[in-house]
């Protein structure tokens, strides 16, 4: 079976494992976007660490969970995020302005919405977590 959106599958797997109280989750297949998304989650303290396991095909990721994730999802289609309309997107997707992060793909790479606003750049919304 063909996977149309590996990022959405990975984030749904993490969310389901978090809800069921698991401490580790295996994500397959791995991709560069998933790794960058996980690095962003790790930097903000939502996951502990992850390990990339190469099996000479698509690879796997072993993620150690901390129990802090309430929801993480991919957004499809990837809507445009402009700096002047940023408050609209933040209010529509995140539950509060105090916590949660939109993840954007920009010309600077994959950033959260706070970094993108600091750099005054827009991009496409690929997902969120809180």
């Amino acid at each position: 079976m063909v996977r149309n959106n590996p990022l959405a599958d990975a984030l749904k797997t993490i969310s389901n494992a978090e809800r069921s109280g698991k401490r580790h989750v295996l994500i397959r297949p791995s991709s560069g976007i998933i790794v960058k998304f996980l690095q962003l989650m790790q930097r903000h303290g939502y996951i502990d660490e992850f390990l990339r396991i190469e099996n000479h095909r698509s690879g796997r990721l072993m993620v150690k969970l901390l129990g802090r994730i309430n929801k993480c999802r991919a957004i499809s289609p990837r809507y445009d995020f402009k700096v002047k309309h940023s408050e609209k997107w933040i209010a529509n997707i995140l539950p509060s302005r105090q916590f949660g992060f939109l993840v954007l793909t920009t010309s600077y790479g994959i950033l959260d919405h706070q970094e993108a606003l600091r750099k005054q750049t827009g991009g496409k919304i690929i997902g969120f977590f809180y």
Side-chain angles (χ1 to χ4, degrees):
M1 188 169 123
V2 176
R3 292 184 184 232
N4 291 329
N5 194 347
L7 178 64
D9 293 343
L11 295 179
K12 189 70 170 177
T13 303
I14 290 172
S15 187
N16 289 341
E18 189 79 49
R19 277 196 193 140
S20 64
K22 301 224 165 73
R23 302 299 295 161
H24 295 81
V25 63
L26 183 68
I27 297 172
R28 56 184 174 80
S30 71
S31 70
I33 292 176
I34 296 172
V35 169
K36 299 278 184 175
F37 202 102
L38 291 176
Q39 286 172 346
L40 207 55
M41 290 174 80
Q42 187 178 24
R43 191 176 327 137
H44 291 293
Y46 282 85
I47 62 173
D48 187 19
E49 59 187 14
F50 63 93
L51 174 68
R52 191 168 193 168
I53 303 166
E54 278 300 323
N55 60 355
H56 302 293
R57 285 187 291 184
S58 58
R60 296 177 181 183
L61 292 166
M62 176 64 77
V63 181
K64 187 175 178 184
L65 302 173
L66 291 175
R68 289 198 55 212
I69 300 171
N70 294 318
K71 192 173 189 179
C72 61
R73 295 282 187 276
I75 294 181
S76 181
R78 294 182 176 174
Y79 293 109
D80 288 331
F81 180 89
K82 296 180 181 171
V83 176
K84 63 182 176 182
H85 300 301
S86 63
E87 288 299 321
K88 178 188 86 164
W89 286 109
I90 293 167
N92 284 343
I93 296 174
L94 298 178
S96 173
R97 295 173 74 190
Q98 281 82 22
F99 70 98
F101 298 94
L102 292 177
V103 181
L104 312 170
T105 178
T106 67
S107 57
Y108 292 104
I110 294 179
L111 307 172
D112 62 55
H113 71 279
Q114 293 173 347
E115 288 179 71
L117 290 175
R118 259 186 258 126
K119 293 183 178 182
Q120 289 293 308
T121 185
K124 302 269 188 185
I125 301 174
I126 62 172
F128 64 92
F129 60 92
Y130 56 85

